[in-house]
Amino acid sequence: MADKEGEKHVEEGKIPLLTPYKMGKFELSHRVVLAPLTRQRSFGNVPQPHAILYYSQRTTKEGLLIAEATGVSDTAQGYPETPGIWTKEQVEAWKPIVDAVHEKGGIFFCQIWHVGRVSNTGFQPNGQAPISSTEKEIFPQLRSNGIDVAQFSPPRKLTTEEIPLVVNDFRVAARNAIEAGFDGIEIHGAHGYLIEQFMKDQVNDRTDQYGGSLQNRCRFALEIVEAVVNEIGPDRVGIRLSPFTEFMGAGDSNPKALGLYMVESLNKYQIIYCHMVEPRWKVEGENVESPHSLEPMRKAFNGTFISAGGYEMEDGNTAVAENRTDLVAYGRLFLANPDLPKRFEIRAPLNKYIRETFYTHHPVTGYTDYPFHETKV
Ligand SMILES: Cc1cc2nc3c(=O)[nH]c(=O)nc-3n(C[C@H](O)[C@H](O)[C@H](O)COP(=O)(O)O)c2cc1C
């Protein structure tokens, strides 16, 4: 199987997920990526020392890790105890975590995030309304731990003049991530958060240059890409997109056209990767049948393609072997198995994830206490 550069895609006889891959300047030793996972253990929006162990447990030499969604400003939060990267204190707090990953030879990208209307006044400075592309509010939603129901406040529609300020928050956050030592950033353009609130036609009801046509709806996302690329360079910028998901009331009438328009536009900026969520991951928590596929986007995108959403070992191997993706990001399996690539290698049984502790705030339980596989001697 040949890849886009005409190189051999996977060496014969090897486990496809465990073959090396060159992502821009980064030589990855395997293709099993830690997906971004919100864990809500960053008290007061400041990353905590217990994250050092959590991330270093999941680090392999030349393996790629994507940090949990990290707020770009004081209006970016919608969940308790999520980390930020807009203050000096937060940047300093990330440094020992990033250092620990680097000490074990990992490559670490920071996912930068603004929730937009997926918030309520309790998370906002001075109890103000959350910001969005729209004034339409979201109905209460069951969170993916299957327990909590999140409540949202009616958002305030950003004025046209305010939008460049939010773009600038992403630029500064990217700069801060590099200052903290991260190898790059992933723009969170998925799952119904602020960027998707602009991209998707079931949310965006604007009449200015940021609403209406597909080009206009994608303008905000692409202005962020451009600003961040100009700030830290395209070889350190990735983006996560989920055109097919309908989380947080964010669906689109033509997700394939949206996905294709985005990847074709991203090619102009030569960013390092595009990370896409599988159509089967349409509603959170389970795979569903979908007539769609990421293949048109994978084919149209010139950089590294990462797929995520409901993967197990076998279908990850097949996706790589068939050249349907370059890398596979694992969320829940990696959360529960700190040594996931090793377990894939030796076909060890996997720990089961515990939904109830996904978002609890304990610094150990459900966080760093998932056992490593013990090889019998
Ligand atoms: C506990 C938890 C937290 C998550 N947090 C994030 C996040 O911060 N950013 C993001 O883009 N996706 C997030 N996701 C989605 C995952 O990155 C991943 O795409 C999803 O779990 C599907 O992959 P999986 O089947 O391998 O778990 C989260 C998922 C879970 C279960």
Side-chain angles (χ1 to χ4, degrees):
M1 183 72 59
D3 72 10
K4 287 181 207 158
E5 285 79 43
E7 291 162 12
K8 225 165 150 202
H9 195 61
V10 170
E11 282 180 59
E12 308 261 324
K14 293 269 172 69
I15 298 172
L17 281 169
L18 300 181
T19 54
Y21 174 78
K22 189 164 159 44
M23 180 179 85
K25 62 185 175 190
F26 303 103
E27 304 273 358
L28 305 182
S29 62
H30 62 81
R31 298 160 188 255
V32 182
V33 178
L34 175 67
L37 292 165
T38 292
R39 303 309 314 277
Q40 296 187 200
R41 285 152 166 94
S42 297
F43 308 133
N45 306 131
V46 179
Q48 298 293 309
H50 45 249
I52 296 174
L53 180 59
Y54 171 74
Y55 282 108
S56 91
Q57 284 179 333
R58 284 158 185 76
T59 303
T60 47
K61 193 163 163 25
E62 290 156 357
L64 176 63
L65 297 86
I66 305 165
E68 64 209 269
T70 299
V72 298
S73 70
D74 62 352
T75 64
Q77 276 61 238
Y79 302 92
E81 321 298 3
T82 49
I85 194 147
W86 74 90
T87 71
K88 181 97 187 111
E89 184 190 8
Q90 292 161 344
V91 172
E92 292 304 313
W94 272 115
K95 285 183 180 172
I97 305 166
V98 180
D99 287 348
V101 169
H102 284 159
E103 262 160 41
K104 289 178 80 176
I107 294 148
F108 204 10
F109 273 53
C110 182
Q111 189 185 53
I112 57 174
W113 187 41
H114 196 301
V115 298
R117 67 176 186 163
V118 186
S119 187
N120 62 48
T121 53
F123 290 108
Q124 296 299 317
N126 310 316
Q128 67 193 33
I131 57 171
S132 183
S133 63
T134 179
E135 283 171 3
K136 290 186 281 184
E137 66 178 292
I138 344 175
F139 298 114
Q141 303 268 329
L142 189 66
R143 294 217 55 208
S144 56
N145 62 4
I147 308 164
D148 303 325
V149 176
Q151 305 283 344
F152 308 103
S153 306
R156 182 178 70 78
K157 189 187 252 185
L158 284 166
T159 65
T160 312
E161 294 69 37
E162 286 175 302
I163 291 174
L165 303 175
V166 185
V167 172
N168 193 53
D169 288 338
F170 276 89
R171 182 187 65 78
V172 173
R175 166 58 52 203
N176 288 347
I178 298 305
E179 159 73 23
F182 281 103
D183 298 289
I185 61 97
E186 173 174 293
I187 299 165
H188 194 343
H191 297 161
Y193 297 112
L194 183 62
I195 295 175
E196 271 210 345
Q197 291 159 32
F198 276 83
M199 282 194 284
K200 292 195 164 167
D201 63 5
Q202 287 175 13
V203 184
N204 185 331
D205 57 357
R206 303 181 70 86
T207 52
D208 62 3
Q209 68 266 38
Y210 293 95
S213 66
L214 179 58
Q215 286 78 355
N216 278 357
R217 284 183 279 117
C218 293
R219 188 182 307 281
F220 176 59
L222 294 170
E223 284 182 359
I224 291 172
V225 171
E226 182 169 299
V228 169
V229 162
N230 287 341
E231 185 68 29
I232 64 171
D235 53 345
R236 298 198 280 198
V237 176
I239 191 166
R240 192 173 221 208
L241 298 172
S242 61
F244 297 98
T245 66
E246 296 183 355
F247 301 165
M248 302 295 171
D252 194 84
S253 59
N254 194 345
K256 183 178 167 194
L258 171 62
L260 274 174
Y261 177 75
M262 277 304 293
V263 293
E264 280 158 9
S265 307
L266 292 171
N267 283 339
K268 295 183 203 134
Y269 297 102
Q270 299 184 320
I271 62 170
I272 191 164
Y273 73 71
C274 179
H275 181 179
M276 253 194 212
V277 178
E278 288 284 351
R280 65 185 176 194
W281 197 249
K282 189 170 165 184
V283 286
E284 240 174 311
E286 56 180 321
N287 287 344
V288 293
E289 285 284 317
S290 171
H292 300 289
S293 131
L294 297 183
E295 272 196 86
M297 277 69 81
R298 192 286 192 269
K299 286 198 178 120
F301 185 62
N302 294 338
T304 294
F305 199 81
I306 309 179
S307 301
Y311 275 97
E312 295 187 1
M313 183 179 78
E314 282 315 327
D315 56 349
N317 276 326
T318 312
V320 172
E322 292 179 353
N323 203 8
R324 283 187 277 114
T325 195
D326 296 310
L327 308 174
V328 180
Y330 286 88
R332 294 162 301 168
L333 294 187
F334 223 147
L335 184 158
N337 294 275
D339 50 354
L340 188 65
K342 182 79 194 162
R343 289 186 192 234
F344 283 172
E345 186 189 332
I346 60 175
R347 294 184 172 271
L350 301 182
N351 299 326
K352 293 209 175 0
Y353 55 83
I354 304 162
R355 235 175 242 284
E356 292 72 21
T357 53
F358 279 175
Y359 304 112
T360 46
H361 311 314
H362 200 278
V364 176
T365 307
Y367 192 51
T368 51
D369 61 351
Y370 283 104
F372 283 71
H373 182 71
E374 281 174 33
T375 21
K376 298 211 169 51
V377 280

